Amino acid sequence: MHLSVSLRILGILLMLFSSTLLLPLVIAVLEDDNTITGFLTALSITFISGLACWLPVRNARHELRIRDGFLITSLFWTVLGVFGALPLALTDALNLTPAEAIFESISGLTTTGATVISGLDALPQSILFYRQLLQWLGGIGIIVVAVAVLPMLGIGGMQLYKAETPGPSKDNKLTPRITETAKALFVVYLALTVCCALAYWAAGMSGFDAVCHAFSTVAIGGFSTHDASMGYFESNTILLICSLFMVVSAVNFGLHFTVWRARTAKAYRRDSETRFFLSALLVCIAVTCSYLILTDTLAPTDAVVHGLFQAISISTTTGFTTQDFAGWPGFLPVMLLIFAFMGGCVGSTGGGMKAMRVMLVFKQAVRELKQLIHPHAIIPLKVGKRRVEASVVSAVWSFFAVYMLAFVTIMLALMATGLDFTTSFSAVAASLNNLGPGLGQVAANYSGISELAKAILCFAMLLGRLEVFTLLVLFTPMFWRL
Amino acid sequence: MHLSVSLRILGILLMLFSSTLLLPLVIAVLEDDNTITGFLTALSITFISGLACWLPVRNARHELRIRDGFLITSLFWTVLGVFGALPLALTDALNLTPAEAIFESISGLTTTGATVISGLDALPQSILFYRQLLQWLGGIGIIVVAVAVLPMLGIGGMQLYKAETPGPSKDNKLTPRITETAKALFVVYLALTVCCALAYWAAGMSGFDAVCHAFSTVAIGGFSTHDASMGYFESNTILLICSLFMVVSAVNFGLHFTVWRARTAKAYRRDSETRFFLSALLVCIAVTCSYLILTDTLAPTDAVVHGLFQAISISTTTGFTTQDFAGWPGFLPVMLLIFAFMGGCVGSTGGGMKAMRVMLVFKQAVRELKQLIHPHAIIPLKVGKRRVEASVVSAVWSFFAVYMLAFVTIMLALMATGLDFTTSFSAVAASLNNLGPGLGQVAANYSGISELAKAILCFAMLLGRLEVFTLLVLFTPMFWRL
Ligand SMILES: [K+]
Ligand SMILES: [K+]
């Protein structure tokens, strides 16, 4: 283990992160809203901590190896999650305990979007902007990690994407590849954010709200500057724009980059995962809208617009709301939560187990049915025209099993803190899948649950965002040997 | 497809089944309890139907093939489930709708033990005996199918057991093998039932109750002749005897046969699945008892006895109760339900996904963690000293995924009938795992839910008992081709 290199990178990340605090600080100064001290203090502490990490090891230049990838990726969300809580903890208007501030910060950076804050509309603009910024930074973080780092670590079948990553180098050296890839992906991410903000603004949002919501839309984050979330704007146009950008952001950004470079949308049509994802999404939307109409829950037009919006928002794990969807009749709320277990595509900002994995599980189950009927046939498992290697399949299966095991364990732990079954089930589904809103006591807000429950959910959010295995390997003694 | 052979076997099974009705008929005559006509009518209809199936094809002598195995196994539980409902439907004292009678009958034959009948204590003894008999017959049915048929069909990794089956023949011809194996297993099953009944009787049960409860204990069925289930007897000795026989019945009967023939218990210790199953059970018992003591739910002695009994009863999927375990605090009821997803060992009367599959999933997940840390190492998956073939592993994974998919789909369907989340979740867990009691509205009894919900749960019980795939393949067009 070259801990020195990991420490150097962590130091750089902290210093970079502290510099992003300049943006909300500018707003704080312009609005003069009593948050200036908080942001300045947070910026200084974060920068100095970063410097303290970096200075002693600034000359460490070992090549990064696979094992360092697990550590740095895990540190990115845990350490930045804690430092990101500083501006929130230091703002008196919020009145948060340290645990609550960390919950809110981790929920932002992991693009979960579960909140312990109510009364958003009355908060200083600098704080509101900062929450959205956390999601946006978390979003680009996960894209870069998913496209550039995870395929090399081989998490849950991600080695499938090893050869497809944009950027020149195909070897095992992490540094040049990550830098190249990160740049390309950042440009796509930024372009999408700008388009989204312009569309919101044209549809009637204020400039501030347009930028803030573009941040949390493209990051599939779900934070809003209003308690009523997207319902605040009372505009079907905005809901449709939001729906479009949520779907686009739930597609592999590596694919977006390919399409952008090739100037043709052919790559979308050729990509099995995207096709599978869109088909599942269509089913989810169709069921939601029809059931809302059949049960007379909403008028037909509203049922279509709100059904479409809410189905996309929950199943892509964004978590924006317009209606009290937790109160929708019958199986709808739980069905939407179940779709959130799939979430977005690999290499998107979406949470969940990812469409590629669900697709492979599904294909494998169909293959098994065929195998039972024709026991002597040799039936290969294919994605598109490519045969999937056994190691990829078994990695996907293990991912699926560990995900379920983590879900059940965390749910039982939550119930041990005293929460009821519906609340625990949905809270874990909402945090492990990086979705945000749950059902029961956590339908709107997580402030009502105990500090211990919040800490458990922080762990669930990190576990989900780090694709479970990235964090789990750190808990094995084997990882630290040598 | 040689449908004629399947029809011939179905006819024989129906005639055999009708002959078992002689036993409750004898009780009905002795007690003269107004159920004689019902049993006689049911016996005649079943026998004549069997004869009508068998007569036209009685000379069909084609060798059975793999594909016929799926059909006959599925027919065993569906057709016998329907005919088994006749005595219940024809008894006025029960006042059941046809759907309810079928629910009760399928619940019996699949050894689920969910009931729509209350006021058991006041029912005629012949009917009470018949319900217990249904479970006992279902129990030997599933053992024979699991040990002799499923390994050849290759359901969910059962091909792992192909070479280990007792009986002489190792080829693909089903008939001689099944007959040999069935005889051997029946002897073990009968011996265990006799021991269990004697123990109950010695501990204070009436002769009738001892036999009835031995039937449902060894079958991991959970039906009782009293509304208070095992709680009726108010005897810790009986609870401990019951606990012992539930654990024994949840172990592979093929293994029991081996041990019995070899006159040494070495085979138990050598068997990885048994070791894994017992370890998991110990964890479950330890957590249950400690939590009951820690939360002051019960006095220490009661906490240990009832905790041990209830933990074993639910996690082996027997479903006997003494206490209102659904009202136990915190995570306990849900945790016990989750353990029921594992259930018993392969080739036992227990339900759930089976210890062998959970063990393989667990081993595979640990292997994957090691693989991530040592990406270039070749790490084989072993059970005992044997390396597990890739085809077995992928079959187990598919089983796991299809099981989860079935669970979620049926749960959403139940919610669509108007049931709440806790009730739906636990009702599906209780029927798919062939457990019996659920939580919420179905904690004690299933009579309160709609006819449609009962029909859905019948399907879930059959799906669980037929290891999902046996029934699913029948729904594929591919199966019926040729
Ligand atoms: K989210
Ligand atoms: K049972």
Side-chain angles (χ1 to χ4, degrees):
Chain A
M1 302 288 299
H2 300 299
L3 284 177
S4 56
V5 186
S6 300
L7 205 60
R8 190 174 68 88
I9 292 183
L10 184 69
I12 295 173
L13 279 174
L14 276 173
M15 289 189 283
L16 272 175
F17 180 65
S18 75
S19 73
T20 64
L21 292 181
L22 288 171
L23 281 165
L25 187 61
V26 168
I27 297 179
V29 171
L30 289 177
E31 300 276 323
D32 194 17
D33 58 6
N34 289 326
T35 60
I36 301 177
T37 336
F39 278 112
L40 265 181
T41 319
L43 197 157
S44 319
I45 296 177
T46 311
F47 184 82
I48 291 168
S49 306
L51 201 67
C53 287
W54 174 78
L55 261 188
V57 289
R58 67 186 178 283
N59 295 320
R61 292 264 176 243
H62 306 287
E63 187 51 55
L64 278 176
R65 289 167 325 158
I66 300 289
R67 228 182 263 200
D68 304 305
F70 291 104
L71 189 61
I72 293 169
T73 309
S74 299
L75 285 176
F76 181 87
W77 271 276
T78 45
V79 175
L80 258 56
V82 172
F83 279 93
L86 285 176
L88 301 167
L90 295 169
T91 301
D92 294 335
L94 289 172
N95 200 18
L96 298 178
T97 65
E100 284 175 330
I102 289 177
F103 180 93
E104 192 79 10
S105 165
I106 288 182
S107 170
L109 267 180
T110 57
T111 77
T112 307
T115 185
V116 290
I117 303 173
S118 52
L120 289 172
D121 305 71
L123 287 182
Q125 289 209 319
S126 55
I127 285 291
L128 290 176
F129 180 83
Y130 173 64
R131 285 172 78 243
Q132 308 298 117
L133 182 67
L134 274 179
Q135 295 218 308
W136 195 68
L137 294 174
I140 183 64
I142 195 54
I143 293 175
V144 170
V145 165
V147 175
V149 184
L150 295 185
M152 267 170 288
L153 305 188
I155 301 277
M158 291 285 284
Q159 56 270 53
L160 195 64
Y161 290 83
K162 223 167 179 169
E164 292 176 356
T165 320
S169 50
K170 305 264 187 244
D171 55 48
N172 270 329
K173 292 180 183 173
L174 291 182
T175 326
R177 185 195 195 90
I178 292 175
T179 317
E180 283 297 308
T181 312
K183 272 182 205 159
L185 294 170
F186 182 72
V187 172
V188 177
Y189 190 67
L190 188 66
L192 201 62
T193 313
V194 171
C195 292
C196 183
L198 286 175
Y200 280 150
W201 180 70
M205 277 193 194
S206 71
F208 179 75
D209 273 352
V211 171
C212 281
H213 286 86
F215 277 2
S216 58
T217 305
V218 173
I220 311 239
F223 269 162
S224 171
T225 55
H226 304 285
D227 282 338
S229 186
M230 278 289 170
Y232 171 85
F233 303 103
E234 293 184 347
S235 155
N236 284 352
T237 317
I238 287 181
L239 293 188
L240 294 175
I241 292 171
C242 182
S243 302
L244 174 70
F245 279 94
M246 287 192 287
V247 173
V248 172
S249 309
V251 169
N252 191 336
F253 274 72
L255 203 59
H256 286 321
F257 180 76
T258 311
V259 165
W260 191 48
R261 211 171 34 183
R263 316 264 169 220
T264 157
K266 210 160 55 183
Y268 292 134
R269 280 196 304 277
R270 268 207 318 248
D271 187 64
S272 310
E273 186 194 23
T274 309
R275 285 206 309 270
F276 182 84
F277 167 71
L278 292 177
S279 314
L281 196 58
L282 274 179
V283 170
C284 180
I285 294 168
V287 174
T288 308
C289 294
S290 341
Y291 201 72
L292 286 176
I293 294 174
L294 284 173
T295 53
D296 271 334
T297 311
L298 296 173
T301 321
D302 277 356
V304 170
V305 175
H306 289 272
L308 171 96
F309 170 79
Q310 203 66 77
I312 293 178
S313 171
I314 301 298
S315 64
T316 58
T317 75
T318 313
F320 283 132
T321 51
T322 53
Q323 294 249 327
D324 172 29
F325 93 96
W328 279 359
F331 60 86
L332 277 189
V334 176
M335 185 194 77
L336 292 182
L337 271 193
I338 302 271
F339 269 96
F341 275 88
M342 176 168 97
C345 298
V346 163
S348 76
T349 47
M353 291 193 285
K354 310 290 175 297
M356 180 273 283
R357 298 203 180 95
V358 175
M359 179 180 74
L360 279 181
V361 165
F362 189 79
K363 282 189 180 216
Q364 174 75 2
V366 170
R367 202 197 75 91
E368 194 61 30
L369 266 178
K370 288 186 191 161
Q371 189 76 76
L372 283 174
I373 299 171
H374 302 292
H376 303 298
I378 290 162
I379 306 163
L381 187 69
K382 284 183 176 176
V383 168
K385 282 173 184 163
R386 258 171 78 192
R387 190 169 166 160
V388 183
E389 277 172 64
S391 63
V392 171
V393 177
S394 92
V396 169
W397 284 117
S398 306
F399 182 88
F400 184 62
V402 170
Y403 207 83
M404 288 298 140
L405 190 69
F407 177 84
V408 166
T409 313
I410 299 172
M411 181 179 76
L412 293 178
L414 269 195
M415 291 188 77
T417 72
L419 293 176
D420 66 87
F421 179 54
T422 309
T423 303
S424 307
F425 182 93
S426 65
V428 183
S431 26
L432 191 62
N433 293 322
N434 299 120
L435 160 61
L439 308 172
Q441 288 179 51
V442 292
N445 200 288
Y446 285 74
S447 57
I449 62 175
S450 71
E451 298 269 285
L452 179 60
K454 280 174 199 147
I456 293 171
L457 289 177
C458 281
F459 180 70
M461 292 190 273
L462 289 169
L463 208 56
R465 189 75 296 178
L466 292 168
E467 310 259 292
V468 188
F469 277 105
T470 317
L471 196 54
L472 270 192
V473 290
L474 301 190
F475 289 100
T476 61
M478 202 199 300
F479 180 83
W480 299 99
R481 242 173 260 152
L482 254 153
Chain B
M1 302 286 298
H2 300 301
L3 284 178
S4 55
V5 187
S6 301
L7 205 60
R8 191 174 71 87
I9 292 181
L10 184 67
I12 296 172
L13 280 174
L14 276 174
M15 290 187 285
L16 273 176
F17 179 66
S18 75
S19 73
T20 64
L21 292 181
L22 288 171
L23 283 166
L25 186 61
V26 168
I27 297 178
V29 170
L30 290 176
E31 301 276 323
D32 194 17
D33 58 4
N34 289 325
T35 59
I36 302 177
T37 336
F39 277 113
L40 264 181
T41 319
L43 196 157
S44 319
I45 295 177
T46 310
F47 184 81
I48 292 170
S49 305
L51 200 66
C53 287
W54 174 78
L55 262 188
V57 290
R58 66 187 178 283
N59 295 318
R61 293 262 177 246
H62 306 288
E63 187 51 56
L64 279 177
R65 290 168 321 160
I66 298 290
R67 229 184 263 200
D68 303 307
F70 290 105
L71 189 60
I72 293 169
T73 309
S74 299
L75 286 176
F76 182 89
W77 272 275
T78 45
V79 176
L80 259 56
V82 172
F83 279 93
L86 285 175
L88 302 168
L90 294 168
T91 300
D92 294 335
L94 288 170
N95 200 18
L96 296 179
T97 65
E100 284 174 331
I102 291 178
F103 180 94
E104 193 78 11
S105 165
I106 288 182
S107 170
L109 268 180
T110 56
T111 77
T112 306
T115 185
V116 291
I117 302 174
S118 52
L120 290 171
D121 304 70
L123 286 183
Q125 289 208 322
S126 56
I127 285 291
L128 289 176
F129 181 82
Y130 173 64
R131 285 171 78 240
Q132 310 297 118
L133 182 66
L134 275 178
Q135 295 216 310
W136 195 68
L137 294 174
I140 182 65
I142 195 54
I143 292 175
V144 171
V145 165
V147 175
V149 184
L150 295 185
M152 266 170 288
L153 305 188
I155 301 278
M158 291 286 283
Q159 56 271 51
L160 195 63
Y161 290 84
K162 224 167 178 168
E164 292 176 356
T165 320
S169 51
K170 304 262 188 248
D171 55 48
N172 271 328
K173 292 181 182 173
L174 292 183
T175 328
R177 181 195 198 93
I178 292 175
T179 318
E180 285 297 308
T181 313
K183 273 182 206 159
L185 295 171
F186 182 73
V187 172
V188 176
Y189 190 66
L190 188 66
L192 201 61
T193 312
V194 170
C195 293
C196 183
L198 286 176
Y200 279 150
W201 180 70
M205 278 195 196
S206 73
F208 179 76
D209 272 353
V211 171
C212 281
H213 286 88
F215 277 2
S216 57
T217 304
V218 174
I220 309 238
F223 270 162
S224 171
T225 56
H226 304 285
D227 282 339
S229 187
M230 281 288 170
Y232 171 86
F233 304 102
E234 292 184 348
S235 155
N236 283 352
T237 318
I238 287 183
L239 294 188
L240 294 176
I241 292 172
C242 182
S243 302
L244 173 70
F245 280 95
M246 289 192 287
V247 173
V248 172
S249 308
V251 169
N252 191 338
F253 273 71
L255 203 59
H256 286 321
F257 180 76
T258 310
V259 166
W260 191 48
R261 213 172 33 185
R263 315 262 168 223
T264 158
K266 208 162 58 185
Y268 292 133
R269 280 198 304 276
R270 268 208 317 248
D271 188 63
S272 312
E273 187 193 22
T274 309
R275 285 206 311 270
F276 182 84
F277 166 71
L278 292 177
S279 315
L281 196 58
L282 275 180
V283 170
C284 179
I285 294 168
V287 173
T288 308
C289 294
S290 343
Y291 200 72
L292 285 175
I293 294 173
L294 284 174
T295 54
D296 269 333
T297 311
L298 297 173
T301 321
D302 278 355
V304 170
V305 175
H306 289 272
L308 171 95
F309 171 78
Q310 203 64 78
I312 292 178
S313 171
I314 302 297
S315 64
T316 59
T317 76
T318 314
F320 284 131
T321 51
T322 53
Q323 293 249 328
D324 171 29
F325 92 95
W328 278 359
F331 60 88
L332 277 190
V334 176
M335 184 195 78
L336 292 181
L337 271 193
I338 302 270
F339 269 97
F341 275 88
M342 176 168 97
C345 298
V346 164
S348 77
T349 48
M353 290 193 285
K354 311 290 176 294
M356 179 272 284
R357 298 204 180 94
V358 175
M359 178 182 72
L360 279 181
V361 165
F362 188 79
K363 283 189 179 219
Q364 174 75 3
V366 171
R367 202 198 74 92
E368 193 62 29
L369 266 177
K370 288 186 192 161
Q371 189 76 77
L372 283 174
I373 299 170
H374 300 294
H376 302 299
I378 291 164
I379 307 162
L381 186 69
K382 284 183 178 177
V383 169
K385 280 174 185 163
R386 257 171 78 194
R387 190 169 164 160
V388 183
E389 277 172 65
S391 64
V392 170
V393 177
S394 92
V396 169
W397 285 118
S398 306
F399 182 88
F400 184 62
V402 170
Y403 208 83
M404 289 297 140
L405 190 68
F407 178 83
V408 166
T409 313
I410 300 172
M411 181 178 76
L412 293 178
L414 269 195
M415 292 188 77
T417 73
L419 293 176
D420 66 88
F421 179 55
T422 308
T423 304
S424 306
F425 181 93
S426 65
V428 184
S431 25
L432 191 63
N433 293 322
N434 300 121
L435 161 62
L439 308 173
Q441 287 179 51
V442 294
N445 199 289
Y446 285 73
S447 57
I449 61 175
S450 70
E451 297 268 284
L452 180 59
K454 281 173 197 146
I456 292 171
L457 289 177
C458 282
F459 179 72
M461 293 189 272
L462 289 169
L463 208 56
R465 190 73 297 179
L466 292 166
E467 310 259 294
V468 189
F469 277 105
T470 317
L471 198 55
L472 269 193
V473 290
L474 301 188
F475 289 101
T476 60
M478 202 199 301
F479 180 83
W480 299 99
R481 243 172 260 152
L482 253 152

